[in-house]
Amino acid sequence: MCRTVDLNQAVLARNDGAAHTLRAELAARGTTLVNLLSSPGSGKTALLEHELSLARERSVPVAALTADLATENDAARLARSGASVKQVLTDGLCHLEAGMLARHLEGWLPESTRLLFVENVGNLVCPASYDLGETLRVVLASVTEGEDKPLKYPTAFGLAHLVVVTKTDIAEAVDFDETAFRANVEQVNPGVEVLLTSVRGRQGLGTLLDRALAAADGAAPHRPVMARQGHGHGHDHAHAEHAGVTVASRS
Amino acid sequence: MHEMSIALAVIDQVEEAAERAGDVTAVRSVRLQVGELAGVVPDALSFSFELACAGTLLEGAALVTETVPGRARCETCAHEWAVGMPPRLTCPRCEGGTTDLLAGRELRIAGVDWEDGPAPAPTREPISEER
Ligand SMILES: Nc1nc2c(ncn2[C@@H]2O[C@H](COP(=O)(O)OP(=O)(O)OP(=O)(O)O)[C@@H](O)[C@H]2O)c(=O)[nH]1
Ligand SMILES: [Mg+2]
Ligand SMILES: [Zn+2]
Ligand SMILES: [Zn+2]
């Protein structure tokens, strides 16, 4: 017979559970995860190269995992810093998921790692929905992308703990309106910090590392309004239930 | 396009629930709540869902999505508003204070309609043991 059944389950419960488990495991070993999100080519790798080199100069144990649809170029660039680096090819998947990330960390992530930077697939839509177990979610936008991006990708910018503007050295050439950009960020994520950086113009380098270290030292990260809905897509599931579950990743 | 991943997650969870129930023979429809701020496009999701259901217990199942509008409340002045799209998460009345999101981030499987119980045996035909 036909029966109507109430399930009331969060669609992303499995990812959220895997993220929760990974966050706890990393915390237990003293590692803080920083998830970097932006559209393709915003300058994630370029900025990360500098932050990793600086971390090495300051003797902070860092590691970086970078995810792309294809090529190992980003890992090769990041490895020049001397940090432990891993390239993940997502086999067509447009974002990383927590269970998938956990499997890639297994047997690779050096035990003493203090900061683990994860460069997500260049994409401002899909990665925004997937918690990776990060303590700090950083969303980057280059000055060439226009001031309205926070309004066009409200989920990405709205869930950021930190927003980073990149390539400020060419801001003038592209008429970047910083005030408008800040106002748009504020509209979807009131109170979030916006950092200005340029790899070429050497602006704001090291600030991302400072914020990451502060988070690792336990500084409470910014709480986005969008993350404040009694756990939006539902953490009312029992977390324990997910511990040790093998999480299937699919493309 | 992560709508495919979302569709697969929905199918996995419904299949698991059906397995727990034990005797589900087919799923007719799945009811989904999608918040305005969930970052999911319902049309793209329907398309992916139909493709991904093929060959599963959910083959042919309808996906019924209910869009949940985003709503926010100002902690300072208690004003409540529809956040709209793009969302406005700062208070339109007092321009200050702290905002709470009341709704809009939902991405939930509300429920399903499925067929269960032993498939009704054709009434007149004797079953094999009786022959
Ligand atoms: N002018 C200028 N160009 C930059 C800056 N940072 C990065 N770029 C350039 O922007 C382009 C893309 O930079 P990447 O670091 O590869 O960007 P990405 O976000 O890692 O790209 P994907 O991983 O492919 O999404 C490269 O040509 C960089 O040289 C900067 O500060 N100023
Ligand atoms: Mg890159
Ligand atoms: Zn996608
Ligand atoms: Zn108010």
Side-chain angles (χ1 to χ4, degrees):
Chain A
M1 64 185 266
C2 193
R3 198 186 294 277
T4 297
V5 179
D6 287 339
L7 289 180
N8 198 28
Q9 281 173 241
V11 172
L12 294 175
R14 201 177 273 201
N15 184 76
D16 290 347
H20 185 85
T21 304
L22 181 58
R23 187 179 283 110
E25 280 171 9
L26 290 175
R29 53 188 281 180
T31 304
T32 296
L33 202 164
V34 180
N35 185 4
L36 302 178
L37 261 63
S38 85
S39 46
S42 296
K44 297 180 291 297
T45 308
L47 185 62
L48 200 47
E49 277 185 74
H50 281 265
E51 305 304 298
L52 292 179
S53 298
L54 261 172
R56 300 267 302 162
E57 277 168 33
R58 296 197 213 157
S59 305
V60 178
V62 278
L65 180 146
T66 177
D68 285 287
L69 295 166
T71 87
E72 308 229 333
N73 297 347
D74 284 6
R77 286 166 60 194
L78 295 173
R80 295 193 297 229
S81 66
S84 312
V85 170
K86 180 164 185 169
Q87 177 77 52
V88 168
L89 297 180
T90 57
D91 190 24
L93 193 65
C94 51
H95 58 270
L96 277 171
E97 296 188 9
M100 178 185 178
L101 174 63
R103 279 195 305 279
H104 283 292
L105 296 180
E106 241 179 75
W108 164 70
L109 186 67
E111 202 49 52
S112 61
T113 307
R114 182 102 196 279
L115 295 177
L116 167 63
F117 289 95
V118 172
E119 179 183 338
N120 220 310
V121 181
N123 176 340
L124 266 184
V125 183
C126 315
S129 293
Y130 294 87
D131 182 2
L132 296 183
E134 68 265 25
T135 299
L136 205 61
R137 179 179 291 199
V138 182
V139 176
L140 302 87
S142 67
V143 293
T144 60
E145 293 169 54
E147 302 79 20
D148 60 351
K149 286 305 164 290
L151 301 184
K152 286 190 179 168
Y153 300 96
T155 315
F157 286 91
L159 290 170
H161 297 120
L162 180 64
V163 172
V164 173
V165 177
T166 59
K167 313 189 193 180
T168 56
D169 56 290
I170 51 173
E172 226 167 285
V174 297
D175 271 335
F176 177 70
D177 185 341
E178 185 193 331
T179 311
F181 182 82
R182 285 183 182 276
N184 290 338
V185 169
E186 181 70 14
Q187 178 179 333
V188 299
N189 194 345
V192 72
E193 184 183 13
V194 177
L195 291 178
L196 300 182
T197 70
S198 162
V199 164
R200 190 140 327 151
R202 310 203 62 83
Q203 182 186 13
L205 300 180
T207 324
L208 176 58
L209 180 63
D210 292 340
R211 297 299 181 275
L213 283 171
D217 285 339
H222 164 71
R223 268 183 81 214
V225 171
M226 259 193 224
R228 256 182 239 174
Q229 186 195 330
H231 267 36
H233 44 245
H235 276 213
D236 44 49
H237 57 90
H239 285 131
E241 187 183 298
H242 294 279
V245 177
T246 7
V247 177
S249 77
R250 303 160 102 160
S251 47
Chain B
M1 200 187 68
H2 71 311
E3 276 76 10
M4 185 50 89
S5 303
I6 304 272
L8 290 167
V10 171
I11 292 168
D12 273 357
Q13 291 197 40
V14 172
E15 281 186 322
E16 271 172 26
E19 204 164 303
R20 277 197 303 273
D23 51 0
V24 177
T25 54
V27 177
R28 298 292 174 224
S29 66
V30 177
R31 280 169 288 125
L32 209 63
Q33 289 182 327
V34 180
E36 243 181 336
L37 305 176
V40 171
V41 181
D43 280 350
L45 185 57
S46 295
F47 178 74
S48 303
F49 182 78
E50 200 182 318
L51 286 180
C53 283
T56 74
L57 190 64
L58 288 80
E59 176 139 13
L63 185 70
V64 184
T65 42
E66 177 205 341
T67 304
V68 184
R71 286 200 67 75
R73 184 177 181 278
C74 175
E75 270 186 16
T76 311
C77 75
H79 178 60
E80 262 188 53
W81 71 99
V83 302
M85 186 52 75
R88 179 189 176 138
L89 299 176
T90 46
C91 178
R93 184 173 290 173
C94 78
E95 299 286 342
T98 312
T99 304
D100 283 324
L101 194 66
L102 303 175
R105 288 278 300 147
E106 294 76 4
L107 187 53
R108 308 184 66 81
I109 307 171
V112 292
D113 284 352
W114 63 32
E115 298 286 341
D116 63 6
T123 26
R124 294 289 162 231
E125 262 167 21
I127 53 171
S128 53
E129 283 83 358
E130 290 175 338
R131 259 198 277 224

